Amino acid sequence: MKIFKSFNILNKEINFNESVGFVPTMGSLHKGHLSLIKFAKSKTKKTLVSIFVNPSQFNDKKDFTQYPRNFKNDISILRKLKVDYVFLPSNKEIYKYGVNKKIKIIKKDIVLCAKYRKGHFQGVLAVMNRFMYNINASHVFLGEKDFQQIYLIKKYLQKKFKSKIVSCKTIRNSNKLPLSSRNILLSKKFIKRSEKISKLLFNFKKILLSNLGNIKLLENYKSQIRNFCDKIEYLEIRNYKNLSKNFSRKNFRIFIAYWQNGTRLIDNL
């Protein structure tokens, strides 16, 4: 396994003429990341994983500081997985002088997390733009837990680069809670509360699939979910193709963001 810290050396050492799968992460790796990496390994000849906690996508400095980091353990995991390449850039390497730390998005797309986390996706797009400009991978693998993130990356960056964006299913625990690096910040008590929220969401989706008219139960489900968290930031149903509120039984998706003991969690299904 080769470790790089600069784009220049990375591009000298990696042959991008062959099939290379790129998995961008912010570290604190869990089974969701491992699933992405294993899938990338099965679909491409070589696999590159990056670890970079991107400051420009945090709208709260405290959140950035508290974000889980365990580089030593991450490297150990990647070695066991026999990943070919690992990229560990510094902030200066990503945001050299004159490089934009934000990419604008249109008003229409400022919904869901983009509405409540001001500047978040602008920062995500900026770092992904840097990665995709400098890393000519054949495929980029991203998890659907961050569904809105994938949607915006495809919309704003896909046409600029040759890399194909591959969406991978959300990995959940046995009680349907999506795996997240932020879960490590929660005690067992709060994990169990979040698991109850996940089960409510799955139940609600099942009811909507049988009859979309049951959308009138949205407020009822909100009330139930509030019993298991600090507060709901949003609980919305949208068309997964364009994130509009014009949806049908064939193209709807449920989106939620809520706070659990001071930690912000998201899900969609």
Side-chain angles (χ1 to χ4, degrees):
M1 186 175 83
K2 293 184 178 181
I3 298 175
F4 307 111
K5 294 187 178 181
S6 78
F7 286 121
N8 284 340
I9 297 176
L10 180 151
N11 276 290
K12 287 178 182 177
E13 294 289 327
I14 299 177
N15 177 16
F16 285 110
N17 288 322
E18 63 181 352
S19 176
V20 177
F22 175 41
V23 183
T25 82
M26 293 208 298
S28 193
L29 303 179
H30 52 68
K31 289 181 180 178
H33 293 113
L34 271 55
S35 175
L36 283 175
I37 294 165
K38 289 175 182 178
F39 188 65
K41 285 174 66 68
S42 73
K43 294 296 181 182
T44 55
K45 288 185 178 180
K46 299 289 184 179
T47 306
L48 165 65
V49 177
S50 68
I51 299 175
F52 177 64
V53 183
N54 177 33
S56 75
Q57 70 186 65
F58 287 82
N59 59 325
D60 183 341
K61 288 183 179 179
K62 185 179 178 182
D63 187 26
F64 173 70
T65 303
Q66 293 181 343
Y67 193 85
R69 294 167 172 82
N70 196 338
F71 292 116
K72 187 176 180 180
N73 186 59
D74 290 343
I75 295 300
S76 176
I77 289 171
L78 295 175
R79 285 192 191 281
K80 288 177 183 177
L81 287 174
K82 296 183 179 180
V83 167
D84 300 288
Y85 312 112
V86 178
F87 187 39
L88 304 174
S90 65
N91 193 40
K92 288 184 179 179
E93 178 67 16
I94 297 295
Y95 296 115
K96 290 182 177 180
Y97 180 77
V99 173
N100 289 330
K101 293 184 178 181
K102 302 281 185 181
I103 289 179
K104 289 183 179 180
I105 62 177
I106 61 175
K107 188 176 180 180
K108 176 185 174 183
D109 290 325
I110 303 177
V111 298
L112 303 173
C113 282
K115 178 180 177 181
Y116 290 91
R117 295 188 71 187
K118 188 177 180 182
H120 168 66
F121 287 119
Q122 291 87 335
V124 169
L125 290 174
V127 73
M128 285 303 299
N129 186 66
R130 282 287 286 160
F131 279 143
M132 294 175 76
Y133 179 81
N134 289 280
I135 297 173
N136 191 26
S138 57
H139 299 76
V140 178
F141 296 88
L142 300 168
E144 283 190 353
K145 186 180 79 69
D146 297 299
F147 188 92
Q148 188 177 11
Q149 173 175 285
I150 297 175
Y151 169 78
L152 293 172
I153 290 171
K154 284 183 175 181
K155 179 172 181 176
Y156 287 85
L157 302 180
Q158 181 74 89
K159 292 179 182 178
K160 293 173 61 178
F161 305 106
K162 293 181 179 179
S163 301
K164 181 181 178 181
I165 305 295
V166 181
S167 302
C168 303
K169 273 190 172 184
T170 301
I171 304 301
R172 300 173 182 274
N173 71 10
S174 58
N175 290 313
K176 301 188 182 298
L177 179 68
L179 302 186
S180 168
S181 298
R182 295 179 189 274
N183 289 357
I184 199 171
L185 301 173
L186 299 174
S187 66
K188 288 183 180 179
K189 171 187 172 182
F190 293 106
I191 288 290
K192 286 182 179 179
R193 286 163 64 95
S194 287
E195 288 173 345
K196 289 178 180 178
I197 290 173
S198 295
K199 287 179 180 179
L200 283 169
L201 291 172
F202 270 86
N203 185 56
F204 188 31
K205 182 166 187 178
K206 185 178 179 180
I207 288 172
L208 291 177
L209 285 171
S210 65
N211 182 359
L212 198 57
N214 286 315
I215 193 172
K216 60 189 177 185
L217 296 174
L218 180 64
E219 290 304 318
N220 178 272
Y221 272 87
K222 271 188 181 180
S223 296
Q224 292 185 64
I225 290 170
R226 285 192 187 101
N227 292 326
F228 301 110
C229 64
D230 302 339
K231 70 172 182 177
I232 298 173
E233 204 165 73
Y234 63 77
L235 174 60
E236 297 185 26
I237 301 167
R238 289 182 176 264
N239 185 325
Y240 67 77
K241 293 182 179 179
N242 54 22
L243 298 188
S244 73
K245 288 189 175 181
N246 182 21
F247 54 82
S248 69
R249 198 169 68 175
K250 293 182 179 180
N251 60 27
F252 80 88
R253 203 169 186 96
I254 301 171
F255 294 87
I256 190 172
Y258 63 94
W259 289 85
Q260 190 69 277
N261 196 36
T263 297
R264 185 179 186 276
L265 301 175
I266 61 171
D267 196 2
N268 68 86
L269 56 131

